[in-house]
Amino acid sequence: MKQLVLAGGGHAHVQVLAALAAQPLPGAEVTLVTPQPVLWYSGMVPGVIAGRYAPEEAQIDLAALARRAGVRLVLDAVAALRPETRRLRLAGGAELAYDALSLDTGGELSRDLIDGARDQALFVRPLHSFVQLWPRLQSLAARQPGLQVVVIGGGAAGFELAAAMRRALVAQARVTLVAGNAGLLPSFPRGVRHQALAVLKSRSVTVIADDAVEIEPGQLRLSGGSRLPCDAPVVALGVQPPAWLSDSGLRLAPDGFIATGATLQSVSHPEVFAVGDVSRRIDAPHPRSGVYAVRAGPVLTANLRAWAAGQPLTVYRPQRLALALLSCGDGTALASWGPLSARGAWVGRWKDRIDRAFVEAYREGARVGSLSLR
Ligand SMILES: Cc1cc2nc3c(=O)[nH]c(=O)nc-3n(C[C@H](O)[C@H](O)[C@H](O)COP(=O)(O)OP(=O)(O)OC[C@H]3O[C@@H](n4cnc5c(N)ncnc54)[C@H](O)[C@@H]3O)c2cc1C
């Protein structure tokens, strides 16, 4: 039997598991290594914070999926990778050998990007810790009128979380978004940025276009030198490559993520597949988002089957444009696709349908086939 190890219960691997539940992989024993028994579906997390979804509605049960797929589940995290011996070392100390490895572990949010953040800030990743700690911030705001909450990060997650927190916190709490010196949603078209600013302004969320450089007790220092009152800093910056990649021997892209090619294989080690935020397609670079992790799922599944059967692999061409649906915290959402954008309650309902359908597709008894909606 060949040993296939799936590392990380990410957005593509849930599809691999669902496909294996429908049709096993002959000739291979499959193991999933992931630290949590559930995957938090990030698209619904701002809705959980806003109180629009119960936490269970935003979770995919990885343990149940693995059971249905006949996949051995190891609740642990990859701590080191030695591709020359085809072995993984796990954080708990165990070692795992593989013939083929598929990595969908996402990126990491470094604790050290902003001085003082490690000890004082709430970090949005890992999502399970963030969602677990969020009620503490909520009750602090209820006990301490005028609490100054500062979300740091002007990307889609920072925007959605600032809007969601404004919705969820008592009226006296103040929410500020420190968006970075490129401003709010820097990678989005001007019209979307304008609308997003208007949304936050209408909710009395102050947006500051400057970089946060240091968190001090009760305040946040910005790169321009000014200081901002800050009782509860929330770091929602983009992800970095996991620390264990740097000395793994896998070829990395200039930004430190795993360099992959058209068949989703590592360009240096073809028995290693990598998808989602942990990877970088060097032949066809695209932004890092859940959409691309989801879209890679079916091709990854097909290629893992082809690898096991010794057949040729399929080439995956990532889409050029991806639809972004940004929730505004109140049931409305902002849609952005290339130069087009729209906002309203109907966009919110559209996003809600897509998100719920994705999560529902992995529940016990769901029909396999409606998997790739995002
Ligand atoms: C608040 C928020 C909202 C977002 N909303 C959207 C959205 O609406 N649309 C969108 O396209 N993108 C969105 N994103 C971005 C999106 O979350 C990521 O791009 C997406 O999660 C990447 O998917 P992935 O499969 O690569 O990794 P992940 O979804 O991060 O999954 C990684 C998995 O690997 C596990 N893991 C982590 N480390 C290890 C390890 N060392 N060993 C083994 N397993 C490990 C994790 O527990 C997890 O199960 C949002 C992000 C945030 C923070």
Side-chain angles (χ1 to χ4, degrees), residues 7-13 33-36 38-46 62 76-79 90 104-108 124-128 130 156-158 160-161 236-237 242 244 275-278 288-294 323-326 351 355 374:
H11 287 68
H13 277 173
V33 183
T34 197
Q36 297 293 323
V38 298
L39 170 68
W40 280 89
Y41 179 68
S42 58
M44 291 171 83
V45 165
L62 293 171
D76 207 334
V78 174
L90 307 185
D104 182 16
T105 56
E108 282 179 3
V124 302
R125 284 192 180 277
L127 285 171
H128 66 91
F130 173 61
E160 291 192 307
L161 289 173
L237 295 166
W244 49 265
V275 290
D277 281 7
V278 75
R288 222 164 240 112
S289 83
V291 172
Y292 288 97
V294 167
L323 173 68
L325 295 169
L326 307 176
K351 174 171 170 55
D355 288 344
R374 199 174 185 185

